[in-house]
Amino acid sequence: VDKVNLATNRGDVGMMRERLTQRTLAAMGVVAPRTAYAKVTVDGVYAGIYTMTQQVDKRMLKERFGTVDHADDGNLYKCIPSVVGSNVCDLKWRGPDKNEYLVSGCPDGYEHCGLVLKTNEDDPAQNDYADLMAFIKLLNETEPQGMAAVLAQHFDVDPFLRYMAVNAALYNQDSLAYGKPNNFYLYRRPDTGRWRLLPYDFDMSYGGPNFASVVTSPLPGQPNFDNNWLPRQVMKVPALHAKFLTYVKEVATVWMAADKQAAWVAEFDWLLRKEIAADPNIDLAAWDAAVGEGDKGILAFVATRRAFLLSGK
């Protein structure tokens, strides 16, 4: 590993949402960055506890997909939203000019934003965005009756449905499931010719910091899906939408079960508690409240959200 991401868990006092969601995604067979906790020291000064997440890059592609038939050599595009509101990560067709999928107003530290190529950038045979634009055009212009066949040929649909189900069940409001064209990569595998969505950044999952107001929010549907053409077109296929609902039920029944979630929380509690007590940036009482079974805790959210999802409302 030559690069890591250190997250402050700004929106998650309990510091568990990222890791809990990644674990649920893994249990559902979804490829997502690995996570770990890190004690960080800078120039001899202790900076506290961070969540360390795997970089989505060539190394991760090789690790997850292997090298047979050049499975790790494809084009990887990262959605980097503009901070001025012009978001081309919605995968709407904007014509055959790749510059239409790159925008200004980037966050600090980014030279480009929009749909940004992160591999093969210097290869003129692959860096013209032709593959991405062809896929976006198919998503936008295929008639409803032909969408299922097009998706089966060009997109890894089943992992996407599983990703959507996890984010919907856990109410990750900063995801495609709830209308945010954000926090994803698109990768075209040379060995299969199909696109794969690779998600990241789950600290707003489990309802986010204001979960009490969303714990009984319904599953996403229109107009949430209208904000991105990928879920919009996938969910318009009745059989795929039905499969999505089946996966939501699986997440709620199996992976949101009280004993399963409590075991995961206890594991992370064991890793974190003594470190949190020594962390100059975190209040131990607030952390306790954020992870426990009280009305502000992750386990309280899980119990109420699971009951709502399985109620059929």
Side-chain angles (χ1 to χ4, degrees):
V1 174
D2 60 2
K3 184 182 293 185
V4 297
N5 298 286
L6 295 171
T8 62
N9 298 286
R10 179 177 55 185
D12 178 18
V13 176
M15 301 187 68
M16 291 190 186
R17 285 179 168 88
E18 181 84 29
R19 297 210 65 195
L20 289 168
T21 305
Q22 190 272 339
R23 184 162 287 188
T24 307
L25 288 165
M28 287 293 291
V30 179
V31 172
R34 293 181 289 116
T35 59
Y37 290 118
K39 294 193 291 185
V40 179
T41 300
V42 181
D43 292 335
V45 178
Y46 182 55
I49 296 293
Y50 289 75
T51 299
M52 183 169 63
T53 63
Q54 182 180 23
Q55 178 73 11
V56 181
D57 58 9
K58 174 80 170 180
R59 287 175 180 264
M60 177 175 161
L61 298 175
K62 183 177 180 179
E63 174 201 330
R64 301 304 180 89
F65 301 131
T67 59
V68 176
D69 294 328
H70 302 283
D72 61 328
D73 288 336
N75 281 352
L76 176 71
Y77 296 87
K78 182 180 182 180
C79 165
I80 304 174
S82 167
V83 296
V84 296
S86 177
N87 193 348
V88 300
C89 294
D90 55 15
L91 303 183
K92 290 182 180 178
W93 174 243
R94 290 174 164 81
D97 181 354
K98 78 174 188 178
N99 293 311
E100 293 298 319
Y101 303 91
L102 299 167
V103 294
S104 59
C106 300
D108 290 344
Y110 289 96
E111 182 180 355
H112 303 290
C113 51
L115 294 165
V116 182
L117 182 64
K118 305 300 287 185
T119 57
N120 304 314
E121 303 99 310
D122 299 323
D123 184 348
Q126 299 192 72
N127 67 7
D128 59 2
Y129 279 53
D131 55 354
L132 179 65
M133 291 187 292
F135 180 58
I136 292 174
K137 189 173 184 179
L138 280 173
L139 284 177
N140 284 250
E141 297 185 356
T142 300
E143 296 295 329
Q145 61 271 23
M147 184 55 66
V150 164
L151 289 170
Q153 180 179 354
H154 296 282
F155 184 57
D156 283 338
V157 180
D158 193 68
F160 178 74
L161 295 174
R162 293 169 180 268
Y163 151 78
M164 290 288 286
V166 171
N167 283 273
L170 298 179
Y171 202 94
N172 182 4
Q173 54 193 297
D174 195 16
S175 72
L176 290 181
Y178 284 96
K180 295 287 185 69
N182 190 15
N183 294 335
F184 69 90
Y185 291 76
L186 280 172
Y187 177 61
R188 186 174 184 273
R189 292 183 57 167
D191 57 330
T192 66
R194 291 194 298 272
W195 291 87
R196 172 71 70 96
L197 183 134
L198 302 173
Y200 71 100
D201 193 354
F202 313 114
D203 67 333
M204 296 297 285
S205 192
Y206 285 75
N210 301 311
F211 66 78
S213 63
V214 301
V215 69
T216 57
S217 294
L219 293 175
Q222 310 296 351
N224 299 92
F225 295 148
D226 287 346
N227 293 322
N228 186 279
W229 276 74
L230 184 54
R232 171 187 172 130
Q233 299 299 70
V234 169
M235 296 301 177
K236 280 185 176 180
V237 179
L240 298 181
H241 189 261
K243 198 168 188 180
F244 158 72
L245 295 177
T246 298
Y247 286 143
V248 170
K249 186 175 181 180
E250 180 181 344
V251 174
T253 303
V254 179
W255 303 110
M256 293 177 71
D259 58 343
K260 178 66 68 178
Q261 292 284 321
W264 289 351
V265 168
E267 176 187 343
F268 296 148
D269 183 290
W270 181 84
L271 286 170
L272 287 174
R273 179 167 295 278
K274 67 179 183 297
E275 308 300 341
I276 295 296
D279 192 317
N281 306 305
I282 303 174
D283 178 78
L284 181 60
W287 177 79
D288 258 330
V291 302
E293 296 180 355
D295 60 0
K296 295 183 180 180
I298 286 175
L299 292 178
F301 167 84
V302 170
T304 307
R305 181 67 171 164
R306 181 177 190 262
F308 171 77
L309 293 172
L310 296 180
S311 69
K313 294 180 181 179

